[in-house]
């Protein structure tokens, strides 16, 4: 698989994750629970608080920007500024989140970690690692074709 295709897959994965976050907002408290956002976020959604909507919207927007940069790097859409730096940072974010999520539940009792289940941490971390791997290999393989 060439770097362009890996970046297209990376962008598609990020875009799907962004859409899922939007769906969670509309799905309400039960969707927050099912997807592992934690009981506090679900409870706040039940009370009508805008906090879960705001946080989830910000995450969806960040994931959408990640998708745009992957698609841009693949040459599917216009070239975005700071392409190489952005793709490196996006890759870093996914891989660090993935690695941290595989370690932190075993070494931390912090409420932000403990509120979510071990299953959430393991599944979401593996997903982040897969996303990060597609970004990493796509960026490396397609490096010479990326604008700086």
């Amino acid at each position: 698989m060439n770097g362009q295709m890996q970046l297209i897959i990376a962008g598609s994965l990020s875009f799907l994750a962004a859409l899922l976050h939007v769906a969670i907002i509309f799905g309400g408290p039960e969707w927050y629970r099912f997807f592992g956002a934690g009981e506090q976020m679900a409870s706040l959604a039940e009370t009508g608080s805008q906090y879960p909507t705001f946080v989830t919207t910000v995450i969806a927007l960040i994931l959408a920007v990640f998708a745009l940069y992957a698609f841009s790097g693949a040459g599917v859409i216009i070239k975005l500024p700071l392409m190489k730096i952005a793709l490196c940072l996006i890759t870093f974010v996914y891989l660090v989140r993935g690695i941290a999520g595989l370690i932190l539940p075993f070494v931390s009792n912090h409420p932000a970690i403990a509120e979510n289940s071990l299953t959430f941490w393991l599944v979401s971390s593996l997903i982040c690692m897969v996303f990060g791997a597609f970004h990493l290999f796509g960026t490396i393989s397609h490096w010479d074709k990326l604008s700086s």
Side-chain angles (χ1 to χ4, degrees), residues 5-61:
M5 183 54 64
Q6 290 167 326
L7 286 172
I8 290 170
I9 292 170
S12 298
L13 292 171
S14 292
F15 185 70
L16 286 173
L19 289 178
L20 177 60
H21 279 79
V22 172
I24 289 168
I25 294 168
F26 290 103
E30 291 309 312
W31 282 49
Y32 281 99
R33 283 187 186 93
F34 179 79
F35 286 101
E39 187 55 37
Q40 183 179 8
M41 288 286 276
S43 296
L44 286 170
E46 280 178 335
T47 65
S49 170
Q50 292 303 305
Y51 180 76
T53 300
F54 174 76
V55 169
T56 309
T57 300
V58 169
I59 293 169
L61 289 172

Side-chain angles (χ1 to χ4, degrees), residues 71-90:
F71 290 142
S72 181
V76 175
I77 63 171
I78 63 168
K79 293 290 183 195
L80 295 175
L82 305 171
M83 181 70 62
K84 288 181 177 180
I85 293 169
L87 286 173
C88 288
L89 288 174
I90 291 165

